[in-house]
Amino acid sequence: MAHLVYWTFSDIPSEMIDILVKDLSKYDKAIEESVVRDKVGNPESDKDIRKSSNAWIEGSNWVGGFVWYYIMKANRENFMYDIEGLDSNEVQYTQYQEGEYYDWHIDDDINRCMINDKLLTSDDNHGENIAILNGQYIRKLSFSIQLSDPEDYEGGELEFNVNNEGCFFAPNKKGTIIIFDSRINHRVREVKSGVRKSLVGWVVGPRWK
């Protein structure tokens, strides 16, 4: 039976994560206040739900390939979903400072679809192109990669509420990769001190049938 939340204690050396964080520092000037989406998909600032900051990393960046390997591995070993690519061909570099959080939410559900109302983008964005051609897509998998050492912050736990299994925390070891069904209710608890950094994103596929 497949697990709705999957994680791997990757064998990525800590030094490799440090290189990743150092490379991501070039996006520091692009970091801005995080937003949430309303019922029709429009971005809005709602600090009752989310308080954090982030920058967007192009999927064509080497980070996208790095992430995609682990997504495909998890999908083969556990989920076996029909997936196409990264949502909007982007990965989100997220930071939670002291006092910041993301309250309970889901990343998608079976009712979400995309209307064919925009032009195709470049071949790099294969996943979204397929979705547009189909006239609809949904997020099927979500992921989070822990970039910060647990000693760098207090609080900020990634918590899941999975059906009858109740609530539990994901491991916070540096370099841990957590991949989960986008319909799962989850949150990032308030950071009490320090800074929590992560890479997060979503994987799209054809609408559930």
Side-chain angles (χ1 to χ4, degrees):
M1 180 178 177
H3 300 284
L4 293 176
V5 180
Y6 171 106
W7 58 70
T8 177
F9 297 103
S10 68
D11 55 359
I12 305 168
S14 178
E15 293 80 5
M16 180 62 182
I17 299 297
D18 292 338
I19 290 172
L20 176 57
V21 173
K22 182 178 180 180
D23 188 61
L24 290 173
S25 66
K26 65 189 178 186
Y27 291 91
D28 284 347
K29 292 182 178 179
I31 287 179
E32 55 188 17
E33 180 183 353
S34 300
V35 299
V36 295
R37 299 280 175 177
D38 64 19
K39 292 182 179 180
V40 295
N42 296 317
E44 62 179 4
S45 176
D46 189 341
K47 291 184 174 61
D48 289 335
I49 299 175
R50 184 181 190 184
K51 188 177 181 183
S52 62
S53 57
N54 68 265
W56 294 98
I57 315 300
E58 305 87 352
S60 55
N61 184 290
W62 70 273
V63 172
F66 169 82
V67 169
W68 190 248
Y69 167 80
Y70 289 99
I71 291 169
M72 293 298 290
K73 182 175 184 292
N75 196 49
R76 287 194 306 269
E77 295 178 353
N78 185 69
F79 300 101
M80 293 184 289
Y81 290 170
D82 184 4
I83 57 176
E84 294 289 349
L86 295 172
D87 188 2
S88 300
N89 197 37
E90 293 178 315
V91 178
Q92 187 182 109
Y93 174 42
T94 309
Q95 296 184 6
Y96 290 89
Q97 309 278 345
E98 182 177 341
E100 296 186 332
Y101 54 85
Y102 197 164
D103 206 357
W104 290 110
H105 65 285
I106 59 174
D107 293 332
D108 216 334
D109 60 39
I110 61 174
N111 296 316
R112 179 176 180 265
C113 68
M114 180 173 183
I115 306 302
N116 187 7
D117 61 355
K118 65 178 182 178
L119 298 176
L120 296 179
T121 53
S122 69
D123 289 338
D124 288 337
N125 198 357
H126 174 72
E128 188 176 8
N129 286 345
I130 294 295
I132 295 171
L133 288 172
N134 289 341
Q136 56 188 7
Y137 77 83
I138 61 170
R139 292 174 176 173
K140 291 190 171 181
L141 293 174
S142 303
F143 61 87
S144 177
I145 301 178
Q146 301 289 102
L147 300 180
S148 297
D149 193 285
E151 283 72 39
D152 292 342
Y153 63 96
E154 181 182 358
E157 299 92 347
L158 175 57
E159 185 176 13
F160 293 95
N161 186 354
V162 182
N163 300 333
N164 298 324
E165 297 178 26
C167 296
F168 60 90
F169 297 134
N172 64 349
K173 180 182 177 182
K174 183 178 178 179
T176 302
I177 301 168
I178 301 105
I179 301 172
F180 56 97
D181 189 300
S182 296
R183 297 167 292 183
I184 296 300
N185 203 20
H186 61 287
R187 68 173 175 174
V188 176
R189 298 181 65 174
E190 182 180 341
V191 172
K192 303 298 184 182
S193 63
V195 180
R196 177 185 182 271
K197 298 179 180 180
S198 62
L199 278 179
V200 302
W202 309 272
V203 181
V204 299
R207 188 183 176 99
W208 298 109
K209 296 180 180 180

